[in-house]
Amino acid sequence: MQHSRYFENCLDDTTTAVEVSTAQKECVSELLERIHKNCPAVVENCRGAMYLGAAGIGYAFYHVAKCPKFADKRNLFLEIAESYVKAALQEIDKVDPLRGGIGASLLLGHAGVYCTAILVYEALGQQAEKEEYLQSFLKMQSNLSMNSDEFFMGRAGYLAACLMLNKHLKKDSIPNDVTLQLCNLTIESGRQYSKEHSHPSPLMYAYYTAECLGAGHGLARILLALLNFPECYVDNPLVENDIKSSIDYILTCEQENGNYPMVTSECRGDEDELVHWCHGAPGVIYVLAKAFLVWKDEKYLSAAMRCGELIWKRGLLRKGPGLCHGIAGNGYPFLLLYRLTSNEKYLHRAREFAAFMETKEFKENSRVPDAPYSLFEGIAGTACYLADLTNPAESMFPFVDIF
């Protein structure tokens, strides 16, 4: 039976140790060259901020430039990244950052563009430009009083950017009082919603009216954002208990096959089930992994491994090669599990997913994304994934860091 959402997985699951080949490096370079040629760094071609536009493509060039295996092309890739950053900055200059709170959005607004600019200019050693956009990024926090907590538009996304900046710049470039205030607002928001709706999870949020569970708009990614800032819970047992109990609530939503529904009230049929980073096990796995690292409870690792088995069976998506709802996004959980367990099986599976994207079956029978060169839908995200396969010990889904 042919499934409408995913290819049947007939890949070899026999673990073999394989060194990174020159051909794999060339594949990444070829993807980036194709992007640069067909979607050059001009505003007209690159609308859509981090998610679909120039900023996301710039981030992809930056991401690859950081990988040790691409040291010989580091300067070239950073220069190209800068060109996309400049296009993205021109683009957002046309949009009022206060409109609908869009400025604070990591993936759809100004904050993500500024964050990418900061990272690129820091890597290039251009400190004046870095400081200029760091101040612009910090100003965005005033937009976060809005009732939006999720990753795409709200506080969880902004916190992810703060974590990234503090990791790659000098420590506390984003002051602790900024992140703590945002965490506290997020916690209070979740408590209030849960109380008003008599929800079994101590923290719960709604994207419009939907109680989403996944990474794109839901509870899993919001809780991961909180866990990444221990100052908000380490010395506060009530907060820590609320976060932990909310993750345990997510575990109660696990389906028999190891997947998680898109929303709390939903149970899709087998054929319609979503196995995407944005909705389903490929996104939920990150908060489970982080919970294991924080509390050392094997139940979280076991649940994460069950996610991995489900992704291996149903993760070869027909939607394309991207991060949000594509094969690259579903390959990253194997790199995560490899980092958690050091089990070569997961690295092998990550490589098998990458190899499948080069097959005739995939190329002829997968869908072309609306934004085929973008970070989250297109081959810019694929390039990040393939580059991370050359350095799996430090691999990271863009802006989803748990280590």
Side-chain angles (χ1 to χ4, degrees):
M1 175 182 174
Q2 187 180 79
H3 295 273
S4 62
R5 292 190 180 275
Y6 60 90
F7 296 93
E8 182 181 356
N9 188 344
C10 298
L11 302 175
D12 179 13
D13 202 18
T14 304
T15 304
T16 55
V18 179
E19 292 297 320
V20 176
S21 68
T22 303
Q24 286 176 292
K25 282 186 59 182
E26 289 176 352
C27 183
V28 175
S29 296
E30 287 169 4
L31 286 178
L32 294 180
E33 287 171 12
R34 194 192 319 168
I35 295 167
H36 197 209
K37 177 181 178 181
N38 296 308
C39 190
V42 294
V43 174
E44 292 75 18
N45 288 346
C46 303
R47 293 187 177 89
M50 179 74 73
Y51 187 77
L52 297 178
I57 294 174
Y59 174 83
F61 276 90
Y62 163 81
H63 190 106
V64 177
K66 289 192 305 149
C67 291
K69 294 287 185 181
F70 295 87
D72 57 327
K73 294 190 175 182
R74 180 182 186 276
N75 293 337
L76 172 63
F77 287 163
L78 287 177
E79 288 171 7
I80 296 174
E82 182 187 15
S83 70
Y84 282 99
V85 162
K86 288 180 176 178
L89 290 166
Q90 291 176 37
E91 175 190 340
I92 63 168
D93 281 345
K94 301 175 183 177
V95 181
D96 180 0
L98 297 177
R99 180 178 62 80
I102 193 72
S105 169
L106 171 65
L107 297 188
L108 302 177
H110 291 55
V113 176
Y114 291 142
C115 180
T116 305
I118 295 162
L119 292 170
V120 170
Y121 284 121
E122 169 71 9
L124 286 168
Q126 298 182 25
Q127 297 302 312
E129 291 84 353
K130 181 205 77 174
E131 287 298 328
E132 176 186 351
Y133 295 114
L134 180 58
Q135 294 309 309
S136 297
F137 175 84
L138 287 169
K139 289 177 183 177
M140 293 294 101
Q141 65 179 292
S142 62
N143 294 4
L144 288 160
S145 60
M146 59 185 177
N147 287 327
S148 180
D149 299 282
E150 45 86 62
F151 185 66
F152 268 64
M153 288 286 293
R155 286 185 277 260
Y158 191 87
L159 282 167
C162 292
L163 184 71
M164 186 87 163
L165 292 174
N166 276 341
K167 184 172 183 177
H168 292 281
L169 309 183
K170 65 180 181 181
K171 190 176 180 181
D172 299 327
S173 292
I174 309 300
N176 185 67
D177 59 346
V178 170
T179 54
L180 185 57
Q181 179 185 20
L182 294 175
C183 288
N184 289 339
L185 285 169
T186 303
I187 293 162
E188 183 55 37
S189 173
R191 284 172 167 171
Q192 183 176 344
Y193 181 92
S194 181
K195 182 178 180 180
E196 289 176 356
H197 294 80
S198 301
H199 204 281
S201 175
L203 303 177
M204 181 50 69
Y205 307 85
Y207 179 66
Y208 294 99
T209 59
E211 293 175 357
C212 294
L213 283 174
H217 302 291
L219 181 62
R221 189 61 185 87
I222 297 169
L223 295 176
L224 176 58
L226 296 175
L227 281 182
N228 276 331
F229 291 92
E231 59 266 26
C232 80
Y233 63 87
V234 163
D235 295 321
N236 192 329
L238 291 177
V239 170
E240 183 171 3
N241 183 66
D242 281 354
I243 294 172
K244 190 173 189 294
S245 297
S246 298
I247 296 172
D248 289 343
Y249 167 77
I250 292 177
L251 287 179
T252 69
C253 298
E254 182 183 348
Q255 298 170 250
E256 288 187 9
N257 63 1
N259 200 24
Y260 292 82
M262 185 176 80
V263 297
T264 58
S265 60
E266 181 183 69
C267 185
R268 290 181 175 227
D270 187 64
E271 180 65 18
D272 291 329
E273 194 172 42
L274 300 180
V275 185
H276 303 168
W277 167 79
C278 50
H279 298 296
V284 172
I285 191 173
Y286 294 95
V287 74
L288 300 176
K290 185 66 177 183
F292 171 69
L293 292 175
V294 171
W295 293 299
K296 310 302 181 187
D297 191 326
E298 290 288 332
K299 72 180 180 182
Y300 299 119
L301 178 60
S302 296
M305 293 169 71
R306 291 194 295 274
C307 287
E309 293 307 308
L310 181 276
I311 296 164
W312 177 248
K313 293 175 183 175
R314 301 189 177 187
L316 294 174
L317 299 178
R318 293 181 179 272
K319 277 198 168 187
L323 295 178
C324 189
H325 33 257
I327 294 179
N330 281 359
Y332 264 113
F334 299 129
L335 290 175
L336 171 70
L337 288 168
Y338 174 69
R339 292 189 67 180
L340 275 179
T341 68
S342 299
N343 188 332
E344 290 285 336
K345 173 179 77 172
Y346 296 117
L347 181 55
H348 170 78
R349 288 180 170 185
R351 288 170 173 158
E352 287 290 301
F353 267 39
F356 183 78
M357 287 187 280
E358 290 298 309
T359 64
K360 181 179 179 181
E361 181 182 11
F362 175 75
K363 291 180 179 180
E364 293 185 353
N365 297 289
S366 63
R367 298 165 202 162
V368 177
D370 293 334
Y373 304 106
S374 65
L375 179 62
F376 272 82
E377 286 193 358
I379 59 174
T382 312
C384 293
Y385 175 59
L386 297 180
D388 277 345
L389 279 171
T390 72
N391 189 32
E394 296 182 20
S395 57
M396 185 195 80
F397 188 110
F399 292 92
V400 187
D401 192 6
I402 74 160
F403 294 99

